[in-house]
Amino acid sequence: MYIFNTSEISTFFLIGIPGIEPANIWISIPICFIYLVAILGNCTILFFVKTQTCLHEPMYYFLSMLAVSDLGLSLSSLPTMLKVFLFNAPGISPDACIAQEFFIHGFSAMESSVLLIMSFDRFIAIYSPLRYTSILTSARVSKIGFVFSLKNVLLILPFPFTLKYLRYCKKNLLSHSYCLHQDVMKLACSDNKVNVIYGLFVALTAILDLTFIFMSYMLILKAVLSIASQKKRFKALNTCVSHICAVLIFYVPIISLAVIYRFAKHSFPIAKILMADIFLLVPPLMNPIVYCVKSQQIRNLVLGKLCQKQT
C-alpha cells in the first residue's frame, strides 16, 4: 500500500490511527475542538499579557513565550491532522513535509527551552525575591528570549537540509498524521547516518534541558527549606505548581514515547501513534488551562472579561 517502484517519490502518505480509518470523521471532532481551545487559550494569554500592565512582569513574559511555542506547535500540525482525519487526504509533498517537521521540531525545542528559562525564573523569585525585578529586567528578558529562540532555530535548521539531501524511493508511508524528522529519514534509500547522529544530538539537548530543570528544582527545594515560616514555604512552593504541571505535560509524553520506541515498538504500534499525538495536542491545550486556574491574576482577568460580556 502506497509503495511505488519508481526511483524518486513525489508524494508521502500520512496515516491516522490504523484499523479505525472509517471513524476518522468522528475522531476529527474532538481533534478540532482541542485545536480550537488550544489556539483560543494561548491567544487569550498573549492578549492579557500584552494589554494588562499588572501582567508586565518577568514570569508573565516567559508565560507568553510558552504560549507562542504552544501556538506554533498547534498551527504546525493542524493542516495535516485535519487533512487526514477530516478530509481523508493523506498525501503530502516531500517539500511540505520537510517544512512541517522543521516547524514542529523548532517549536518543540523552543518549548523545552522556555520551560528551562521558567525554572530559573522560579528559582530567582524564591531565592532572591527582593532582587527579582532588578535581575530579570524587561531588557534582559527580551535578550534571553531572543538568544534562546536563535539557538533553537540554528539547532533545528540542519534538519530540512539533511533530509533534502537524501533520496527517497519505494517507501513513502509515514507513521503519523504529521511529519517528524526521524519518521521521514527512515523512508530514505540513501545513507542517513548523518541524520541519525544529528537527530541524536538534538535529542540530547532536550535531555540536557530536563536535567537543568531538575537541578533548578533541587536548588528551589533547598531555598524553600531554608525559609523559617511553614506558611511562607507553602506559598513559595505554590508558585511553582503551574510550571511543574507544564513540565510534566510536555516531558511525560516524550519520555513515554521514547520508552515505547525502545522497548515495545513492535508490541504496541497504536500506543506509539496515540502518544505521539498526545505530545502535540495536549501541551498547547493544557498549559493555558493550568495557568488560568493556578494564576489568580490571569483567572480574575478572564472571569472579569466574561462577566463584562454577559452584562
Side-chain angles (χ1 to χ4, degrees):
M1 186 179 182
Y2 302 132
I3 296 179
F4 299 107
N5 292 320
T6 55
S7 57
E8 296 293 336
I9 296 298
S10 61
T11 306
F12 291 147
F13 288 91
L14 304 160
I15 64 168
I17 301 175
I20 56 172
E21 286 83 358
N24 276 356
I25 188 66
W26 298 107
I27 297 172
S28 69
I29 295 172
I31 287 175
C32 289
F33 177 76
I34 288 171
Y35 275 118
L36 180 63
V37 174
I39 292 169
L40 285 175
N42 286 292
C43 286
T44 300
I45 285 177
L46 290 173
F47 171 76
F48 281 122
V49 172
K50 181 177 175 58
T51 59
Q52 302 296 319
T53 54
C54 63
L55 299 183
H56 291 178
E57 298 176 9
M59 184 181 84
Y60 296 109
Y61 290 144
F62 294 134
L63 178 57
S64 65
M65 293 180 196
L66 186 67
V68 169
S69 305
D70 285 332
L71 211 52
L73 270 179
S74 294
L75 295 176
S76 299
S77 58
L78 176 64
T80 54
M81 291 280 275
L82 291 187
K83 273 185 69 178
V84 171
F85 288 102
L86 189 59
F87 301 109
N88 195 28
I92 184 172
S93 69
D95 286 343
C97 189
I98 289 171
Q100 185 187 44
E101 66 83 28
F102 169 75
F103 285 110
I104 288 176
H105 287 290
F107 283 112
S108 297
M110 184 175 171
E111 179 138 353
S112 179
S113 294
V114 173
L115 290 172
L116 172 60
I117 296 167
M118 292 174 84
S119 70
F120 290 150
D121 166 74
R122 290 299 83 207
F123 168 68
I124 294 169
I126 292 171
Y127 182 76
S128 187
L130 298 177
R131 297 178 58 214
Y132 176 66
T133 52
S134 62
I135 294 172
L136 291 174
T137 61
S138 297
R140 200 163 285 168
V141 168
S142 299
K143 287 177 183 177
I144 291 170
F146 174 76
V147 168
F148 274 88
S149 297
L150 183 62
K151 184 268 288 184
N152 291 320
V153 169
L154 294 176
L155 180 69
I156 303 300
L157 193 59
F159 274 175
F161 295 103
T162 55
L163 288 177
K164 192 75 176 171
Y165 176 77
L166 299 174
R167 282 185 71 246
Y168 302 93
C169 45
K170 297 183 180 179
K171 295 188 293 182
N172 65 346
L173 181 62
L174 295 164
S175 305
H176 304 288
S177 49
Y178 48 85
C179 298
L180 294 175
H181 175 262
Q182 60 269 31
D183 205 16
V184 176
M185 73 177 184
K186 288 178 182 177
L187 300 182
C189 53
S190 55
D191 185 21
N192 64 0
K193 191 179 294 182
V194 172
N195 300 73
V196 173
I197 293 171
Y198 192 73
L200 181 61
F201 170 73
V202 173
L204 288 174
T205 61
I207 294 171
L208 199 60
D209 286 347
L210 184 59
T211 303
F212 281 128
I213 291 170
F214 179 77
M215 288 171 62
S216 296
Y217 271 98
M218 290 296 100
L219 294 173
I220 287 170
L221 191 60
K222 184 180 177 182
V224 168
L225 291 175
S226 66
I227 299 172
S229 169
Q230 189 171 353
K231 187 178 179 180
K232 288 183 178 179
R233 284 185 192 176
F234 178 78
K235 187 178 178 181
L237 286 174
N238 195 45
T239 63
C240 300
V241 171
S242 300
H243 179 256
I244 292 170
C245 290
V247 170
L248 293 175
I249 288 166
F250 181 74
Y251 279 105
V252 167
I254 294 178
I255 295 170
S256 302
L257 192 60
V259 170
I260 291 171
Y261 265 102
R262 178 66 182 86
F263 299 106
K265 58 183 176 180
H266 300 300
S267 303
F268 304 104
I270 292 180
K272 180 174 66 175
I273 292 168
L274 289 175
M275 194 57 66
D277 289 344
I278 287 170
F279 160 66
L280 279 189
L281 292 172
V282 173
L285 171 70
M286 291 305 299
N287 285 337
I289 295 172
V290 168
Y291 276 94
C292 284
V293 169
K294 288 300 298 177
S295 172
Q296 187 177 357
Q297 283 179 290
I298 295 178
R299 186 172 68 248
N300 290 341
L301 287 168
V302 172
L303 291 174
K305 281 287 182 183
L306 291 174
C307 294
Q308 188 179 351
K309 285 183 179 180
Q310 287 177 359
T311 56

